[in-house]
Amino acid sequence: MQNTTTAQAHPNIALVKYWGKQSKPGNLPATPNLSITLSNLTTTTKIKEGKKDAFHLNGEQIEDAKIERWLQTLRSEFEVPSLIINSDNNFPTSAGLASSASGFAALITAVNAHCDLGLNEEMRSNWARQGSASAARSIHGGFVALVPPQWEAMRLAPSSHWPLEVVVAVTSRAAKAVNSTQGMQRSKQTSPFYNAWLRGAAEDYSSAAQAISLRDFTQLAQVAELSCLKMHSLMLTSNPTLSYWTPASIACMDCVRALRDQGHQVFFTVDAGPQIKAVCTAESRPAVSAALAQVPGVLEIIDCGLGEGAQIIDQ
Ligand code: PMV
């Protein structure tokens, strides 16, 4: 076993969302989903052995029940010693930028290497999913699918297949009030649209996968925005309502639509938070970044490309 091991992973953003889980164990999404892995936004996780488990997030020691439960499950199958885990994000944490996705992908990658667990990519994806379902997708780079029956993420295409770019407009740095797991449960139990959401998911997934394979931007834009807006309709019609947008989020969506009317290849997607992610071609990226930076309430613009999967950077 090594002294310290460091892994890095990037968040991913879903173009076909999942929102709602299956009732059986394993933290399985209710619907097929598909994402792109980002570059630039990075979680770096360093682990070493300690007398007892300790978790530091961005330099601060915290209690994290999710990580504790996850380690307990991992230890029911593998011999894993007490670990001191230091995880740092170079972007806002728990604010709809998928920090739990990059977090669990980096963590299982680091633990696997540190403790010689012998897990291949599929198995790492499986373990990452048990921490946070979207984390299964951050094991891979490029275009990634999380689909039945295995629910281990698989790479649909590498970044080089279609080097799209993503402009993130940060409209708030506050951590979200309701986390994804609680929000999904609420929507499943209370939104009158939940069954319609389940019924439409397979078709959205096939359409997006086809658009990616054909590099058909218009088709991908249509299905990705629809999937995003359907998910937010579920959220908004939950009881109590789940409202993640700020006025600036809505203004950014209008800005993206206006850019598209001017001929730019761009579409938006929004997760469980107020940040807007504008997916665009390299050609349109400068105009998209400049326009979103001008929207009142936008605090920061982060330009990303498509990134690689989780990997060990130091051992
Ligand atoms: O798996 P979680 O708990 O990180 O939830 C992900 C929820 C969304 O980001 C809103 C959708 C998705 O498919 O990533």
Side-chain angles (χ1 to χ4, degrees), residues 90-265:
N90 71 349
F91 59 95
T93 299
S94 298
L97 286 175
S99 54
S100 64
S102 47
F104 276 104
L107 184 58
I108 187 59
T109 301
V111 176
N112 177 46
H114 193 78
C115 305
D116 291 324
L117 303 187
L119 303 178
N120 62 21
E121 278 194 335
E122 286 74 34
M123 291 158 156
R124 278 194 287 130
S125 175
N126 201 335
W127 278 104
R129 192 200 65 237
Q130 298 191 43
S132 167
S134 61
R137 301 184 308 232
S138 276
I139 294 293
H140 300 286
F143 299 83
V144 184
L146 184 57
V147 292
Q150 296 307 100
W151 297 106
E152 288 155 355
M154 59 182 189
R155 196 170 75 169
L156 286 179
S159 317
S160 56
H161 166 72
W162 196 10
L164 295 175
E165 303 207 0
V166 180
V167 178
V168 181
V170 177
T171 69
S172 164
R173 295 200 181 87
K176 61 189 164 212
V178 181
N179 73 34
S180 306
T181 303
Q182 291 163 348
M184 287 179 201
Q185 261 164 8
R186 191 185 292 179
S187 298
K188 186 174 177 175
Q189 283 160 4
T190 63
S191 170
F193 298 156
Y194 190 73
N195 286 335
W197 164 252
L198 295 184
R199 280 197 302 274
E203 199 178 318
D204 290 349
Y205 172 81
S206 309
S207 169
Q210 185 191 49
I212 289 164
S213 113
L214 300 173
R215 296 190 201 94
D216 182 335
F217 195 92
T218 306
Q219 184 172 329
L220 186 60
Q222 251 165 27
V223 68
E225 281 192 5
L226 181 64
S227 175
C228 164
L229 293 172
K230 283 201 276 192
M231 180 183 77
H232 283 274
S233 305
L234 274 188
M235 292 164 162
L236 288 165
T237 51
S238 301
N239 185 12
T241 191
L242 294 161
S243 171
Y244 289 107
W245 298 343
T246 61
S249 319
I250 296 172
C252 286
M253 290 184 245
D254 287 340
C255 173
V256 167
R257 292 186 184 106
L259 284 161
R260 203 157 54 224
D261 289 346
Q262 289 159 26
H264 287 292
Q265 292 210 299

